[in-house]
Amino acid sequence: MSHPDQAIWLVQNGQARFALDVQPPQDAEPIRAAIADLVLHCEKCLGQPVAWSNGGRAMPVRLELRFCPERVLEREEFEISAQADGVSLAASTAAAMGHAVHYFLEQAFGVRWLWPGTSRSGSAVGAGRVGRAGGDCGTVCPPAINVAWPPGITRHRPAWAWRRLWLGGAFYGACDPWLAEMKFGGVSPAALSALELWQQRNRLGGLNIADGHRWCQICPPEAHGRAHPEYFALINGARDTARRDGKHGNQPCTSNPAVVRLTAEYVMAQFRARPELDAFSISLNDGAGFCECPACRAQDETAGAADKTAAMEKLTDESAGADTASNTTAAITARIFRFANAVAEQVARVYPDKLLVMLVYSVYRRPPRGVRLHPNVMAQFCAMSFLHADAKIAAEDRRLLAQLGDVAERRGIYDYFVNGANGSLPRGFARILCRSIRDYHHAGCRYFAAQAGLDFASNGLVYYAAARMLWNPELDFEGILEDYCRAGFGPAAGAMQKYWMAFQERWENFEQTGLRHEAAVAALYPEAWRRARRAELEAAWIAAGDDAAIAARIGFVREGLAFLDLYAEACAAAWGLVERGAPPVLADDGSELRAWAQSCGEQALIERAVECRSRLMKWVDAHRDGFWIAAMWFQYQQRLRRGMLGRWMDIVGETLLLNTEPGTVNLKP
């Protein structure tokens, strides 16, 4: 931040000139988290304890936190006022005060939170000269030499009302992501808490929304299927009441008034039990299997009108089974919107200020022609920004969002940063994402959530850029990249910018259409390209000199590249077997693949593929509890999506009695 001559100097020549104050002192506890973070980071930058205004030697400047619920400030809005003798941060809520403190620390002291802390994994594989990069190396607290703030009054608030880089509801089977990460992925509660803290410090948050697929939570078939089969979808003449996995199938009969009443009552019970909630999702289960009863079908638009985006449908198909495959080519958005409206009318009588969330997804992704959504329902449009390098896909999403604006007052985005089809694959789409978030905001969207993981060593730039764009969508990618590299890597910033830009350019210029995932990975990131990235990190290492903090950050990024090396090698080896005749699609019993492995005469290639997978899985197992990769999403891709590095490779290796042990992570939902 530039400062005119009349700037208020908080630190000069390394000497602190300010003392902290909290007003009113009788009400400091509600903002204790903001106070603690301000003290913590100021002391790290100063290298000494901060002074308080009512004790110790007098200071010429007072740095004040003013908690003022009585003022007319919006929920996340804060004001910073500065004059000769002080700087005051004012907010009416604890959340807004947290935003004020973190904004102030960024702008005044140069503090940055590039990625979360508490990475506690064991020894790193292929990390070069940095054996382990963990702890809080993603937090940047530069020494405070000269710190000033310009005089005047400014107000700040986010452009998006909801900013969440995570998801809710059923994720891995019936488990939500928070539970699945611990139960099946081996992630510690400490790591998940560190992730939440990183999100807060980067001013994510906003409304408190329980989003995601929720129908099996609202109406579990084991509780209602026997007594009320009419609540569930009619498919091929029978009600779909046999419990599946808690996420797929068992869709509702949305035309049934009893289903509307049950849903409304459940949502109101949630609002009673959790008054902090601003919104609750009534979105259907994932996948298809929609009701075929006459009352539901009568609401649908003409066959062939679904406007399914082929690339998105392929990537979101989770192979839930033939019995949950799409049973309609019609756009069913009209019936979904009518269902949401009926629920909203009942809920609004009791909770007029609460919102409902409905995903706009799959064959209900195209806005209906004759149904306008209730103003208390947020239409959450599903999009894959990482596909927006394809101009046709980006234009199609813009077209659908424009149509959605005609029928829905409240519009949000559900973005697939990470997806079951691409696991924890490093993807250079931060530049694309910045453009997409700006487009979404210009289209009137004000709510944003994303399928996200813990893959900060490889995809951290995406998360960092998203946090900034969700606060201010008029920023530009180049400025964000420069800030990320300058703040985190100092003299190595130039080499790191080359490193990250190489990922952007590779992702934006590589044609993946029609390629199986494993073939795409091998072609997208060949050895020569990865070797060039290693050289850039080596140049960054040299430029860092003896700065241990910068070296640790480079080491952290190196771990992401180490994963990519192992992953690309494993994918290339597996795809090499396909090129020798192995069937790429795994049948349920694996008989075709087993027969090929027994008769192909390619034992050396099979042994190499099994060994590559084994080294990769050992690395993943050693790094699952941290922020190097999205280990849970990686396993999701291999198990639920039947990736070639999962059961496919098990069968190939087992056929030749090879060791196929993938690691110690047990992911059986």
Side-chain angles (χ1 to χ4, degrees), residues 266-297:
Y266 185 89
V267 171
M268 289 188 286
Q270 283 280 344
F271 288 149
R272 285 194 300 272
R274 302 165 65 188
E276 73 278 6
L277 280 178
D278 297 295
F280 193 88
S281 175
I282 57 170
S283 295
L284 277 59
N285 287 339
D286 206 353
F290 305 110
C291 189
E292 299 171 351
C293 79
C296 284
R297 283 197 156 174

Side-chain angles (χ1 to χ4, degrees), residues 14-27:
Q15 297 299 311
R17 304 181 70 250
F18 70 94
L20 295 183
D21 193 16
V22 178
Q23 293 295 329
Q26 300 92 338
D27 212 18

Side-chain angles (χ1 to χ4, degrees), residues 133-150:
D136 61 351
C137 71
T139 298
V140 181
C141 291
I145 307 301
N146 293 295
V147 177
W149 194 265

